[in-house]
Amino acid sequence: MSERKVLNKYYPPDFDPSKIPKLKLPKDRQYVVRLMAPFNMRCKTCGEYIYKGKKFNARKETVQNEVYLGLPIFRFYIKCTRCLAEITFKTDPENTDYTMEHGATRNFQAEKLLEEEEKRVQKEREDEELNNPMKVLENRTKDSKLEMEVLENLQELKDLNQRQAHVDFEAMLRQHRLSEEERRRQEQEEDEQETAALLEEARKRRLLEDSDSEDEAAPAPLQPALRPNPTAILDEAASSIFMRSLKYIEHLLVPGTVCGTTEPAVGKTGAHGRAGERVITASRGHCGHCERGHAACM
């Protein structure tokens, strides 16, 4: 199998290059090239701005009957990105630039105007010095003064740089860091002191409030709970029985006393009773005087 990329081609012994027919192409034929917009422009049809550096598929042709020092001038055709209107511009080898020809207007460029102004001033100066020797001397004097001023400014800058070169930036940064730490420590101490003072004041105020409340209403002392005595009920019952017995004995021994009193008995007289005497009714536990049940009358 033969090579795909062949460097050496075979020429037969009877090869005659003069017999090869020459291709006759028109001189104004066009080529499709890829280029970028050389300057900022604005379309005249739709007003669209086309900025420098935008890429286009352009048609290129050689301008007929226009040359500059033997250099051909080329014309380029592009289309507006919005309305597809045709825009043309040419090369300008004299000014190493491009010139707008049709379909758009070139935007203002301050840099180009500045360069043109500098070139114009330089050309006028050269024309004046060519025919006027005194003007040459004046221009040289001005240039020397300007050069001296520039040298003085440069020397001042050098001295300033030397003064700054002796400054120890590390020491300055270290001192700044120490001062920042000291300031931060002082602020922390002040905050701690203020916090402690506030806490002390709050504690004192709370103690005063507690003392005032204790003075206004002192709580009664708690009495210890009395434990019940199991024999207290028996003692009370015995005491009650003893007292009733005493009253009963007194009632029997002392005539005229009723239910523990010395009031005379008032009531009905029975078959065996007299007035002023104690009368016992038929029902047990009732007194003739009060006619109600009483423990002392039993």
Side-chain angles (χ1 to χ4, degrees):
M1 185 176 180
S2 62
E3 296 182 7
R4 184 171 63 86
K5 294 182 179 180
V6 181
L7 299 178
N8 298 323
K9 299 184 182 300
Y10 172 74
Y11 294 95
D14 57 348
F15 176 74
D16 187 5
S18 62
K19 295 181 180 180
I20 299 176
K22 292 184 179 180
L23 182 62
K24 293 183 180 180
L25 298 175
K27 293 183 179 180
D28 58 347
R29 71 188 184 97
Q30 297 179 351
Y31 302 90
V32 177
V33 295
R34 183 77 170 172
L35 57 79
M36 292 187 294
F39 47 78
N40 298 331
M41 63 186 80
R42 185 181 183 185
C43 179
K44 289 183 178 180
T45 304
C46 63
E48 178 71 10
Y49 286 95
I50 300 173
Y51 296 98
K52 180 179 179 180
K54 190 173 182 59
K55 293 183 179 180
F56 292 93
N57 291 326
R59 292 181 288 113
K60 170 188 171 184
E61 70 177 8
T62 304
V63 181
Q64 299 297 322
N65 302 326
E66 287 188 24
V67 293
Y68 175 76
L69 300 177
L71 298 175
I73 297 176
F74 300 101
R75 181 183 287 114
F76 299 93
Y77 298 87
I78 62 174
K79 291 184 178 180
C80 176
T81 57
R82 184 177 180 182
C83 64
L84 301 180
E86 192 173 60
I87 300 172
T88 61
F89 53 89
K90 298 187 300 183
T91 58
D92 186 8
E94 181 179 1
N95 299 318
T96 63
D97 199 4
Y98 294 83
T99 57
M100 177 57 61
E101 191 175 29
H102 174 72
T105 56
R106 185 168 181 172
N107 292 354
F108 174 76
Q109 291 184 346
E111 184 178 0
K112 181 181 178 182
L113 295 178
L114 180 61
E115 292 177 355
E116 292 178 354
E117 183 67 18
E118 290 179 355
K119 290 180 180 179
R120 186 183 62 79
V121 172
Q122 184 67 20
K123 187 176 181 180
E124 290 179 356
R125 179 176 177 178
E126 291 177 356
D127 293 341
E128 289 179 356
E129 291 178 354
L130 183 61
N131 301 323
N132 191 354
M134 294 300 295
K135 194 67 175 180
V136 174
L137 183 59
E138 291 179 1
N139 291 337
R140 288 180 180 177
T141 305
K142 290 180 181 178
D143 293 341
S144 61
K145 288 183 179 179
L146 181 61
E147 185 177 0
M148 291 296 293
E149 292 178 0
V150 171
L151 291 175
E152 290 178 358
N153 295 334
L154 182 60
Q155 187 65 30
E156 290 179 0
L157 292 175
K158 288 182 178 179
D159 296 340
L160 181 60
N161 291 335
Q162 289 179 358
R163 288 198 299 270
Q164 292 181 353
H166 295 294
V167 177
D168 189 1
F169 293 101
E170 294 294 334
M172 292 177 61
L173 293 174
R174 193 181 306 110
Q175 184 177 1
H176 178 70
R177 184 165 55 253
L178 293 175
S179 62
E180 287 293 328
E181 292 178 358
E182 181 67 20
R183 183 180 60 81
R184 195 178 298 108
R185 186 179 60 80
Q186 291 180 359
E187 290 179 356
Q188 186 176 2
E189 291 180 356
E190 291 177 358
D191 293 341
E192 291 178 356
Q193 292 177 0
E194 185 176 358
T195 304
L198 291 175
L199 291 175
E200 183 66 21
E201 184 178 355
R203 188 179 65 83
K204 291 180 179 179
R205 185 165 56 252
R206 185 168 58 252
L207 291 176
L208 290 175
E209 292 176 356
D210 294 343
S211 62
D212 294 341
S213 61
E214 289 177 359
D215 294 341
E216 290 177 359
L222 297 176
Q223 297 293 336
L226 298 176
R227 297 181 64 182
N229 191 0
T231 61
I233 299 176
L234 299 177
D235 295 341
E236 293 178 359
S239 176
S240 178
I241 293 172
F242 179 72
M243 292 299 296
R244 285 200 302 269
S245 301
L246 288 178
K247 289 180 180 180
Y248 180 69
I249 294 170
E250 183 182 1
H251 177 69
L252 293 178
L253 296 178
V254 179
T257 60
V258 180
C259 297
T261 62
T262 57
E263 295 179 359
V266 179
K268 298 177 181 180
T269 58
H272 303 285
R274 293 187 300 272
E277 295 182 353
R278 179 172 174 267
V279 178
I280 300 174
T281 60
S283 62
R284 183 183 177 181
H286 283 73
C287 178
H289 176 76
C290 58
E291 292 188 0
R292 67 174 180 269
H294 201 277
C297 300
M298 296 176 62

